[in-house]
Amino acid sequence: MCDHSKNIYLPQLATIAEIVDETADIRTFRLVFQDEAVRESFAFRAGQFAEYSAFGAGEATFCIASAPTRKGYIECCFRAVGRVTEALRSLEIGDTIGVRGPYGNSFPIEEFFGKNLVFVAGGIALPPLRTLIWQCLDWREKFGEITIVYGARTEGDLVYKRELKEWEERDDVRLVKTVDPGGNSPKWDGKVGFVPTILEEAAPVAENTIALVCGPPIMIKFTLPVLEKLGFGDDAIYTTLENRMKCGLGKCGRCNVGNVYVCKDGPVFTAARVKAMPQEF
Amino acid sequence: MQKTITEPNLRLLIDTLVSEGKRVIGPKAAGTMTLYEPLSQGEELNLGELPRRSAKEAFFPLCETILTYERDKEGVRVTDVDPQAIPETVLVAARPCDVAAAPVLDSVFSWDFKDEFFLERRRKTTIIGLACARADDACFCTAVGLSPGDTKGSDLFLAPLTDGGYRCDAITEKGEALLAAHADLFSDAATAEPLPLAEPTLGKLDLEKIRQWLDTHFEDPLWEEIAARCAGCGACAFLCPACHCFDIVDEGGEEKGARRKSWDACGFGKFTNHASGHNPRDVQPSRYRNRIMHKFKYYVDKFDQRLCTGCGRCVRACPVGIDIATVLEEINSK
């Protein structure tokens, strides 16, 4: 507005450097900012999100799915379900998209130092945790045991398959992958069962452990009691709320749950905070 | 500083401001309505009735361009909006209920990230408020702690006198400057008496008590009761001086177009709808509840201000006769 830096709605331009088709309708973009100064200075914390522009269609909100420890690019992962995501999906390597951000709060990673971590994710909800998983793996010595329980409806719906393989091969991470009953092929080498059930079987120790849960509402609904049963307190469980957003800046009035504005007060919340909110999300 | 100005001189002041190249916005006849619109001359000023829409458009237009984009073989170019496009403005003869909303909206547009589209207009606008000598059944500014003579948000404030002129008080430095720059159109203290202020019928409500009730009644039959009638048309939000929900949309094609910020309303069915089809506020009662909660609890919790100035526009316009003042009275009586 008054000068280039003052228009809070103005996105930075980024080039699509890589495209990975995670599933039939979920795609990962690796993005490199076109402005060298932005490329150098863009910093974010795991858990934060951005607004991604397909010029002509609008903006869509996703978390930043790459780790803050990986410099020079950011990644986002989205399912093509609406006007903007369909437009994003039609773009190719070398095309330009807009990025505004980073916005919102983040996982308080410093508070996790010295603790065990249990990541529990379902379907397309792995990206908001993947940013933190890689940061924790890059800072591996700062954490105790790391367990990842990840499931999807079918094998085909699992995202980051190449990274699941990598985590499976590491001896400093325990990956438990699962698909819903009926979602497996004869070659499937993981578990079969719903995420909460498989989590209960995996039985991570609750003492000195932080649980990080991200998934569809139905999965979270059934996962929280399991964690409680395993001995996790509500303050030791973190999740992210994915409300519809437009501005990302605490102004447009769309993402509030009661007087909590997900774009500013979230998207990362403890289970204790989520339980204290009005049930309107 | 206190001066007086005759009505002809007030119109002359508008002529002068227009000739200086300023955008002057004031009540103007628009078909069968009166609206706050740009005036090309003082003669157009229509002081007879409260404008149908609020004055928020002076700072927060119904639709505004926030960037333009072009795409060609070279790639995408995004162009920022030229700040010179926002003109120096004088908002004249704005009612206290409209003017008081401007400082209320400052909070949301200036906290943390600063929305310069709104704030630059605020900086470039001088507001001449006008006291109300008449109120209708829908007016309830006194119920929400304001009054027909409230100077909140005004730089200069006009109070009508019995002789047809106006007493003019400078409230801020901006107001002093405007007075000083056009001193020849004003004269010293009034000889005539001010007209008595309007007296809206609804008495003062206990707004803190209302906030506390809202705090503990997220679930209450009241929301179903009211929203059973609500058509979700959004008229209340569009006419409200303090409602500020907005949408951001691209208009144009792949090759070129503009990204625009435009009014939206939390009463609309798709307002919170996710692309997945999940909708956190999927029924009208939860949307109407959000409207009341936002105005009288959430905004108070966050900014210690209320998103309601008692202008009554939502009451006058509601196609199904929902009266927010009655809702507040009902909560107040619980």
Side-chain angles (χ1 to χ4, degrees):
Chain A
M1 272 293 308
C2 302
D3 64 45
H4 191 78
S5 64
K6 280 198 169 183
N7 182 350
I8 55 174
Y9 304 102
L10 201 66
Q12 295 294 341
L13 297 182
T15 303
I16 301 172
E18 266 180 45
I19 295 176
V20 178
D21 277 326
E22 304 289 351
T23 71
D25 61 353
I26 297 174
R27 184 165 272 199
T28 290
F29 280 166
R30 178 169 290 194
L31 304 165
V32 176
F33 288 107
Q34 291 171 0
D35 183 311
E36 197 179 336
V38 174
R39 206 159 50 234
E40 295 299 314
S41 66
F42 189 88
F44 67 98
R45 287 178 55 93
Q48 289 192 290
F49 66 92
E51 296 288 339
Y52 302 84
S53 295
F55 293 103
E59 291 180 313
T61 315
F62 328 118
C63 69
I64 301 174
S66 50
T69 39
R70 311 291 172 95
K71 305 291 184 193
Y73 65 87
I74 61 168
E75 286 178 346
C76 66
C77 179
F78 61 93
R79 171 179 272 135
V81 280
R83 196 165 43 93
V84 178
T85 47
E86 287 288 0
L88 285 170
R89 194 175 171 207
S90 71
L91 299 174
E92 294 164 1
I93 289 178
D95 283 348
T96 296
I97 78 168
V99 181
R100 280 198 292 129
Y103 298 140
N105 71 352
S106 57
F107 294 105
I109 189 167
E110 296 79 5
E111 293 174 25
F112 305 162
F113 290 171
K115 298 190 181 211
N116 307 313
L117 302 174
V118 179
F119 294 93
V120 187
I124 197 184
L126 185 57
L129 295 184
R130 180 234 194 188
T131 168
L132 186 63
I133 290 171
W134 277 118
Q135 181 166 17
C136 293
L137 293 177
D138 288 343
W139 293 353
R140 188 63 191 89
E141 72 290 351
K142 293 183 188 288
F143 307 95
E145 288 184 12
I146 295 180
T147 306
I148 302 167
V149 178
Y150 175 50
R153 242 174 306 184
T154 71
E155 284 174 61
D157 291 314
L158 294 163
V159 298
Y160 303 126
K161 293 182 184 70
R162 63 210 173 279
E163 295 180 11
L164 298 180
K165 197 164 179 298
E166 203 175 325
W167 296 338
E168 265 180 316
E169 286 165 2
R170 289 177 70 134
D171 53 15
D172 58 354
V173 182
R174 176 164 72 128
L175 174 74
V176 182
K177 60 183 189 188
T178 182
V179 291
D180 291 355
N184 55 310
S185 72
K187 280 190 287 186
W188 175 240
D189 60 347
K191 303 267 186 192
V192 177
F194 296 107
V195 167
T197 316
I198 301 303
L199 171 67
E200 195 166 357
E201 274 176 28
V205 174
E207 197 186 336
N208 196 37
T209 306
I210 297 290
L212 303 117
V213 186
C214 207
I218 189 85
M219 187 203 93
I220 290 177
K221 187 180 166 186
F222 288 102
T223 298
L224 293 182
V226 169
L227 287 168
E228 203 176 318
K229 205 164 143 186
L230 292 168
F232 285 84
D234 285 343
D235 287 322
I237 303 169
Y238 287 81
T239 188
T240 65
L241 287 184
E242 310 288 332
N243 264 14
R244 174 134 189 235
M245 298 177 195
K246 282 283 184 170
C247 72
L249 307 162
K251 304 192 192 308
C252 81
R254 201 174 255 86
C255 69
N256 65 301
V257 180
N259 63 0
V260 172
Y261 281 74
V262 174
C263 69
K264 291 299 306 170
D265 306 320
V268 176
F269 297 100
T270 60
R273 273 204 85 186
V274 172
K275 284 181 180 178
M277 288 177 196
Q279 297 305 293
E280 196 181 54
F281 49 83
Chain B
M1 194 192 297
Q2 192 177 87
K3 296 278 183 183
T4 61
I5 187 165
T6 62
E7 189 175 313
N9 274 8
L10 178 62
R11 294 181 189 278
L12 206 52
L13 173 66
I14 292 167
D15 291 339
T16 311
L17 293 168
V18 170
S19 69
E20 289 169 2
K22 292 190 171 70
R23 178 177 70 147
V24 181
I25 295 172
K28 177 181 171 181
T32 57
M33 292 185 281
T34 301
L35 296 173
Y36 288 108
E37 291 215 323
L39 304 169
S40 57
Q41 50 178 5
E43 208 47 50
E44 292 176 339
L45 186 69
N46 180 5
L47 294 164
E49 57 179 293
L50 180 77
R52 181 75 62 92
R53 296 207 302 256
S54 81
K56 71 180 170 188
E57 286 166 82
F59 315 108
F60 177 43
L62 203 160
C63 183
E64 69 181 316
T65 298
I66 52 178
L67 61 88
T68 55
Y69 64 89
E70 276 180 272
R71 183 188 279 110
D72 56 26
K73 285 196 287 289
E74 305 295 304
V76 175
R77 273 182 312 285
V78 171
T79 308
D80 203 348
V81 173
D82 178 9
Q84 301 306 315
I86 293 177
E88 287 287 337
T89 300
V90 179
L91 174 60
V92 63
R95 303 293 174 160
C97 52
D98 282 328
V99 180
V104 170
L105 290 179
D106 285 346
S107 300
V108 69
F109 286 118
S110 66
W111 87 289
D112 201 5
F113 294 92
K114 302 204 176 325
D115 183 325
E116 288 295 330
F117 291 92
F118 179 89
L119 298 172
E120 183 68 1
R121 285 188 179 86
R122 286 280 283 135
R123 280 191 287 270
K124 285 184 165 171
T125 302
T126 304
I127 302 177
I128 304 176
L130 170 65
C132 291
R134 281 191 303 124
D136 68 12
D137 291 350
C139 290
F140 65 101
C141 61
T142 43
V144 291
L146 291 163
S147 85
D150 212 299
T151 61
K152 181 182 175 181
S154 289
D155 298 303
L156 278 178
F157 194 74
L158 303 174
L161 302 170
T162 48
D163 67 358
Y166 298 90
R167 195 183 70 201
C168 179
D169 288 287
I171 312 296
T172 66
E173 281 177 16
K174 253 187 196 176
E176 297 273 4
L178 194 138
L179 257 188
H182 302 91
D184 55 323
L185 296 173
F186 294 85
S187 52
D188 287 335
T191 48
E193 287 294 303
L195 283 177
L197 289 174
E199 292 183 13
T201 48
L202 185 58
K204 194 161 170 30
L205 294 163
D206 185 342
L207 297 169
E208 179 51 24
K209 183 183 170 189
I210 289 169
R211 192 196 68 78
Q212 286 175 14
W213 186 90
L214 293 172
D215 215 8
T216 52
H217 290 78
F218 189 81
E219 300 295 345
D220 193 88
L222 179 71
W223 309 123
E224 292 271 354
E225 219 173 280
I226 303 164
R229 285 188 291 158
C230 178
C233 71
C236 51
F238 279 29
L239 297 182
C240 175
C243 271
H244 57 272
C245 287
F246 60 87
D247 197 359
I248 297 172
V249 292
D250 282 10
E251 289 179 7
E254 276 193 18
E255 277 155 27
K256 63 174 186 180
R259 180 159 295 165
R260 302 196 210 279
K261 185 176 143 194
S262 56
W263 292 357
D264 208 337
C266 66
F268 289 155
K270 298 286 186 192
F271 186 67
T272 53
N273 199 44
H274 296 201
S276 66
H278 172 66
N279 190 349
R281 293 198 282 268
D282 57 347
V283 290
Q284 208 58 33
S286 69
R287 295 193 281 269
Y288 191 80
R289 172 178 61 199
N290 186 72
R291 175 174 177 75
I292 299 293
M293 288 272 183
H294 192 193
K295 288 184 174 300
F296 298 99
K297 175 179 150 49
Y298 303 156
Y299 208 81
V300 186
D301 291 347
K302 200 166 187 63
F303 301 119
D304 198 24
Q305 303 200 72
R306 282 163 198 84
L307 286 171
C308 175
T309 59
C311 72
R313 286 188 178 86
C314 57
V315 181
R316 294 179 201 99
C318 182
V320 296
I322 293 174
D323 182 335
I324 196 172
T326 308
V327 174
L328 294 172
E329 269 186 299
E330 189 174 338
I331 295 172
N332 200 51
S333 67
K334 285 180 186 284

